[in-house]
Amino acid sequence: MKLVTITRSLLRPAAAAALALSVAGCATTPATPEAETTVSDPLEGPNRVVFAVNEAADKAVIRPVTDVYVAVVPDPLRQAVHTFVQNLMGPLYIANHLLQGNFEGAQLATGRFMTNTILGLGGIADVASEVGLTEKPADFGQTLGVWGVGSGPYLVLPLLGPSNVRDAVGYGVDTLGDPFRIWTAGANQEGLQWGRTGASGVDRRSQVLREIDDLRRNSIDFYATVRSLYAQQREAAIRGSSTPANPEFPEFPEYNTPAKK
């Protein structure tokens, strides 16, 4: 089961499909769904308000849009969308691995990007995975953590979801330095950027439909569970100097997840 930087692709006003839920970036599996790691959350009151708004937006817009996407678009085409949007992030992954001093990760990310760009028809086909080049994303928030920068207080960002001061800065740097964004802005093709944002959000949300439902249903305090999972994921990513491509949800017994009416 999977849950990865989902919130990093959450809703943009011009591309509602990018609201991939305010549960972004959860990674490691805690002992129980409510397992709590120590997180500085002095803004818990405002954070809970923003979290509730993000939740409402997901339930009202993104989940229904994603349900239609999954029902209408066949699996091979959805996989092509996933591979394509991930391939566009390749240059950022390479740069962040280099900044972290993770030369093996940079070599792997370069190999994936070149293989899928050239042999995978611009990233539509995931040829790299077929030859053993697994996906290992990296971001600048993680890079700052590797450099020893503390996380700072926990934040829930409007339309972007779980974060902290360090990761919010990292997200901004990644956004400004994104070669695809720079190219679309220079070519006056901002619509392509919004299109990628929407496609990425729906793609990621589609991979965790049941998992997020289970997490919501089984969490005594969904906000606290998400906060704990996010903190664990970021800590693990920094220790491992690479963000897992497919982090995991907690496992829930079948009898705790009755069929949705």
Side-chain angles (χ1 to χ4, degrees):
M1 294 186 296
K2 311 166 230 174
L3 179 62
V4 68
T5 47
I6 291 174
T7 311
R8 299 300 182 193
S9 298
L10 278 161
L11 181 65
R12 300 287 200 282
L19 175 64
L21 179 67
S22 57
V23 182
C26 303
T28 56
T29 303
T32 69
E34 305 302 332
E36 186 79 31
T37 191
T38 302
V39 182
S40 173
D41 191 5
L43 300 173
E44 181 172 348
N47 279 339
R48 283 184 178 272
V49 172
V50 176
F51 184 84
V53 172
N54 288 347
E55 274 279 278
D58 179 72
K59 292 176 181 178
V61 179
I62 298 309
R63 175 58 191 266
V65 168
T66 306
D67 283 339
V68 172
Y69 173 71
V70 171
V72 172
V73 180
D75 288 348
L77 185 53
R78 295 205 307 271
Q79 181 58 43
V81 170
H82 173 77
T83 303
F84 181 72
V85 296
Q86 283 298 104
N87 195 60
L88 291 176
M89 299 297 293
L92 278 178
Y93 298 159
I94 296 166
N96 277 298
H97 280 305
L98 288 173
L99 289 171
Q100 294 168 23
N102 184 1
F103 301 111
E104 181 179 348
Q107 182 179 19
L108 177 62
T110 301
R112 275 191 61 85
F113 180 69
M114 297 300 294
T115 300
N116 283 345
T117 298
I118 296 172
L119 301 180
L121 303 176
I124 295 175
D126 190 5
V127 179
S129 292
E130 295 296 326
V131 297
L133 298 174
T134 57
E135 185 176 85
K136 291 189 179 296
D139 60 75
F140 195 70
Q142 175 190 335
T143 298
L144 291 173
V146 171
W147 291 352
V149 178
S151 64
Y154 179 72
L155 300 173
V156 180
L157 302 177
L159 308 180
L160 291 175
S163 187
N164 54 50
V165 172
R166 180 193 61 214
D167 290 348
V169 171
Y171 178 79
V173 171
D174 281 336
T175 299
L176 290 173
D178 179 11
F180 184 77
R181 186 200 66 81
I182 294 171
W183 175 78
T184 55
N188 198 28
Q189 296 291 333
E190 289 84 356
L192 294 177
Q193 173 65 15
W194 288 118
R196 179 186 68 167
T197 299
S200 178
V202 173
D203 165 59
R204 296 185 186 196
R205 185 65 174 91
S206 71
Q207 297 178 50
V208 289
L209 286 172
R210 185 180 68 83
E211 289 85 350
I212 289 177
D213 286 345
D214 286 349
L215 195 61
R216 281 174 173 156
R217 186 163 44 240
N218 287 275
S219 297
I220 296 173
D221 183 346
F222 189 34
Y223 170 88
T225 300
V226 171
R227 180 180 60 192
S228 178
L229 289 172
Y230 181 81
Q232 290 179 63
Q233 185 270 333
R234 298 307 288 170
E235 186 177 322
I238 292 166
R239 285 200 310 266
S241 190
S242 63
T243 304
N246 290 308
E248 296 182 351
F249 271 112
E251 294 280 353
F252 296 107
E254 288 301 319
Y255 58 78
N256 281 342
T257 55
K260 187 177 179 181
K261 294 182 180 180

